[in-house]
Structure formats: structure tokens, C-alpha cells
Amino acid sequence: DVKVTQSSRYLVKRTGEKVFLECVQDMDHENMFWYRQDPGLGLRLIYFSYDVKMKEKGDIPEGYSVSREKKERFSLILESASTNQTSMYLCASSRQNSPLHFGNGTRLTVT
Amino acid sequence: TQLLEQSPQFLSIQEGENLTVYCNSSSVFSSLQWYRQEPGEGPVLLVTVVTGGEVKKLKRLTFQFGDARKDSSLHITAAQPGDTGLYLCADNTNAGKSTFGDGTTLTVKP
């Protein structure tokens, strides 16, 4: 089975801090994605990557950046965390044109 | 921009009842997926449907894809508490990205 591992289940950070969310997949998938999930707003795509060193903006990239230095790892970076970035963050991976495999999520609270 | 509408938003039923949830798209689906997300977990793929009119069964779950490939339904027979969760439909485009509906939150009471 594909395993997508997110480094933290829960994080609490202060406003203005730089925050790193890490995601690792073990199935050699080309594609990796970061979504955030909020009540009433569903899953919204932040950034995605089709290959190492490549990144594409999703629907809500503002306030975020990403890094993909290795195929198996995709990091989401909040340069200066704000309270409106409090959310559930979901990482996913997939082969080309195939469904997504999700991690268990990181619930981030920014105070 | 494609919009996926799911209904109902919330559904609470007793164990043993049947139910149907719906997913409607503003445009033709490329490839429709249904996922289930349990509390505290990430979404897990249930099924992929591609062909208009397609029907797939997964134990007590029956998935139907509309002939015009713009709508889908998920029917659960004799619901059990283990079916509780958020049911999400999604379209996986040729670019590899997925667009999600807001989901139906199902609660099955013992």
C-alpha cells in the first residue's frame, strides 16, 4: 500500500513564525500536492509538483511556498504564519492521471 | 472553473437504513472519484468511474455515473456505524489535479 506520511499530526505556532510542514511518500509517485481543508470550504489546492524541483501554484498559494528537492519529499512553508492559516493541511501523492493518496493531515493552529 | 456540488451537506440516519448522496458538476467530468474521510484521517479512495452510465458496486455501496458524465450518486444499503464519515466526490483532470466537492457528512447511529 502507498504510504503518505506527514511529519506532525498537530502543530501550534505563533503569529509571524516560519512554519515547515513535511510530507514523504514511499511509492515513487511523480505528483505531490498540498491542500488545506476548512469547514464549509472543502479541500482547496495550495501548491502541487509534477517532478523534483518543479512547483505549480494551486488555487490559494498566497502566503505559502513549497520545496521539492527529492522525489519522495514535498514541504509546505508558511513564511510568516497568520491566524487565517489555522487549518487542516493534507498532503497527497499520485501517479500521472491517477487518484490521490492522502496523508492523515496536520492540524495547524496559529495563535 | 469547475464547481462540484454535493447534497445533502449533512445526513444523520439510524443503523440499517438506506441512503443516497449526490454529486453534480458544472462541467463534464474527466474522471470521477469518490473518497471517504473518517474523523482525524485523510480521505481514502473508494472508487473511480470514467464511463457515462457506469455502475460500480463495493459491498453495500453502489456508485452510479450519469449518462452525460456530469452527475453521480452513491447509494449505501443497510448503513452501519462504520460508514460514518465525510464523503467527497472529485474530478481528476488530465493535468493530474483534482477538484473536490464540499462533501456530505454522514452519521450512522447505532
Side-chain angles (χ1 to χ4, degrees), chain B residues 1-48:
Chain B
T1 303
Q2 182 185 27
L3 293 177
L4 300 185
E5 286 193 18
Q6 292 190 243
S7 61
Q9 188 177 359
F10 298 97
L11 188 56
S12 180
I13 61 171
Q14 293 294 133
E15 182 176 0
E17 292 183 8
N18 300 333
L19 67 112
T20 303
V21 297
Y22 301 91
C23 175
N24 291 285
S25 174
S26 58
S27 57
V28 172
F29 281 98
S30 298
S31 167
L32 167 64
Q33 284 85 44
W34 282 96
Y35 293 82
R36 179 171 65 212
Q37 184 178 18
E38 298 183 16
E41 308 289 330
V44 175
L45 179 70
L46 295 173
V47 75
T48 296

Side-chain angles (χ1 to χ4, degrees), chain B residues 76-109:
Chain B
I76 302 179
T77 303
Q80 300 176 359
D83 295 325
T84 291
L86 176 66
Y87 288 80
L88 295 160
C89 66
D91 189 9
N92 191 332
T93 68
N94 290 331
K97 297 190 299 179
S98 290
T99 299
F100 286 85
D102 288 349
T104 293
T105 299
L106 172 65
T107 303
V108 182
K109 301 175 184 177

Side-chain angles (χ1 to χ4, degrees), chain A residues 9-14 19 21 64 78 81-83 85-89 105-110:
Chain A
R9 292 298 298 266
Y10 300 94
L11 272 180
V12 179
K13 297 292 182 181
R14 293 190 182 274
V19 181
L21 303 184
Y64 303 94
L78 286 65
S82 63
T83 54
Q85 292 178 311
T86 291
S87 186
M88 169 70 92
Y89 289 88
T106 296
R107 187 165 293 281
L108 172 67
T109 302
V110 183

